[in-house]
Amino acid sequence: MTHASERTQARETAVYTHGHHESVLRSHTWRTAANSAAYLLGELRPGLDVLDVGCGPGTITADLAALVAPGRVTAVDSAEDVLGKARAAARERGLEKVEFAVADVHALDFPDDSFDVVHAHQVLQHVGDPVRALREMRRVCRPGGIVAARDSDYGAFTWYPERSALDGWLDLYHRVARANGGEPDAGRRLFAWAREAGFADVAASGSVWTFAGPEERAWWSGLWADRTTGSSYADLAVEGGHATRAELAEVAAAWREWGTQEDAWFMVPHGEVLCRVP
């Protein structure tokens, strides 16, 4: 079987756990290149061609486009509806050399050696075959280029004050995400996945988001409370038999109660890889 045939047969097998509920986009539109791709910024320069995989509402995409202008940025996502928001983000910033398309990272519709940088933020935790995805990202990256990926690691999330209900939330999230075909503890696996995908020159790193103080804890706890009851995640939890609506409501209430604590603090760790293509 040829590589082209393999790409044609490859397809996403996982279900995206979060969907694009307002509570999800509230989180995703907060992301910037500075707070979500700092490990990559030293590799960027004007004139590079970049592929942004799983671009979502496009806030990171827009930052990347500004950094590599007059280079070209192509942003892809598996969901057409969210691309409208990404296009709007680019228009608002006057970014002209940004293109958008629906795509599956397992079978990208681009020729070999098309981009200088291929970037994916919070994508590999949600896909059915992250190693195949990395191989496909490598295929479309030019020799000497960079494949960059960053993913959070749910199993390493930590918070204070401790709440047994939030321990239950984390266990529930793991069960729902894995039933959907994803791997929520992707951060710790990125280095191994990159090596399995055939990369020999891999720089692995880690970084965190932290949420504390009145505004940050209210924002973080509120979006997770809303996501727990109103998003696709909530529907998948109920439809998969992992929780009832009443149980989800209890988890949401626990999130809101935690967010009222003056000493509340939450850390989200991430794994990162910069993979150089020979």
Side-chain angles (χ1 to χ4, degrees):
M1 182 181 294
T2 67
H3 291 302
S5 297
E6 289 176 352
R7 291 198 301 276
T8 299
Q9 290 191 359
R11 64 182 179 84
E12 178 61 276
T13 57
V15 175
Y16 181 45
T17 297
H18 297 288
H20 295 103
H21 184 262
E22 182 279 329
S23 61
V24 178
L25 295 179
R26 195 188 318 162
S27 170
H28 291 184
T29 55
W30 166 83
R31 299 171 183 175
T32 65
N35 67 30
S36 299
Y39 73 109
L40 172 61
L41 300 188
E43 301 290 337
L44 301 180
R45 63 182 185 275
L48 294 182
D49 292 333
V50 176
L51 175 65
D52 190 20
V53 177
C55 67
T59 50
I60 298 176
T61 305
D63 284 349
L64 298 178
L67 290 167
V68 302
R72 170 178 56 98
V73 173
T74 302
V76 299
D77 199 278
S78 61
E80 173 65 44
D81 57 347
V82 79
L83 289 178
K85 297 183 181 298
R87 292 186 181 97
R91 284 196 303 269
E92 289 171 5
R93 294 182 57 173
L95 299 167
E96 297 179 354
K97 299 193 71 174
V98 188
E99 299 177 353
F100 298 92
V102 175
D104 179 352
V105 67
H106 298 91
L108 295 167
D109 191 20
F110 303 105
D112 295 358
D113 307 338
S114 293
F115 303 95
D116 300 299
V117 176
V118 182
H119 166 261
H121 183 263
Q122 309 285 31
V123 172
L124 297 182
Q125 64 182 280
H126 297 295
V127 305
D129 192 339
V131 173
R132 179 187 283 275
L134 283 164
R135 288 177 182 149
E136 187 68 350
M137 292 166 68
R138 177 182 179 176
R139 179 186 66 79
V140 301
C141 190
R142 292 170 183 148
I146 291 287
V147 171
R150 182 177 191 254
D151 270 274
S152 58
D153 193 303
Y154 278 76
F157 283 14
T158 190
W159 58 85
Y160 181 85
E162 296 179 0
R163 291 289 186 273
S164 60
L166 294 190
D167 292 336
W169 158 78
L170 187 57
D171 175 70
L172 173 64
Y173 184 85
H174 274 98
R175 286 187 281 116
V176 173
R178 286 177 174 148
N180 293 338
E183 176 45 70
D185 297 347
R188 70 189 68 182
R189 292 171 165 83
L190 287 183
F191 181 59
W193 287 343
R195 287 170 51 83
E196 187 177 349
F199 290 101
D201 186 352
V202 182
S205 59
S207 60
V208 303
W209 293 331
T210 54
F211 303 100
E215 292 184 3
E216 288 185 352
R217 69 172 180 257
W219 180 79
W220 182 248
S221 62
L223 71 85
W224 267 108
D226 292 343
R227 191 180 301 191
T228 298
T229 56
S231 71
S232 295
Y233 163 70
D235 296 335
L236 291 165
V238 173
E239 292 166 6
H242 304 288
T244 65
R245 293 287 178 185
E247 289 168 338
L248 292 179
E250 291 177 359
V251 173
W255 267 113
R256 296 191 188 282
E257 186 278 329
W258 175 87
T260 66
Q261 304 304 303
E262 292 186 358
D263 293 328
W265 177 92
F266 203 104
M267 183 179 72
V268 178
H270 297 79
E272 304 158 342
V273 288
L274 290 174
C275 311
R276 194 166 300 277
V277 177

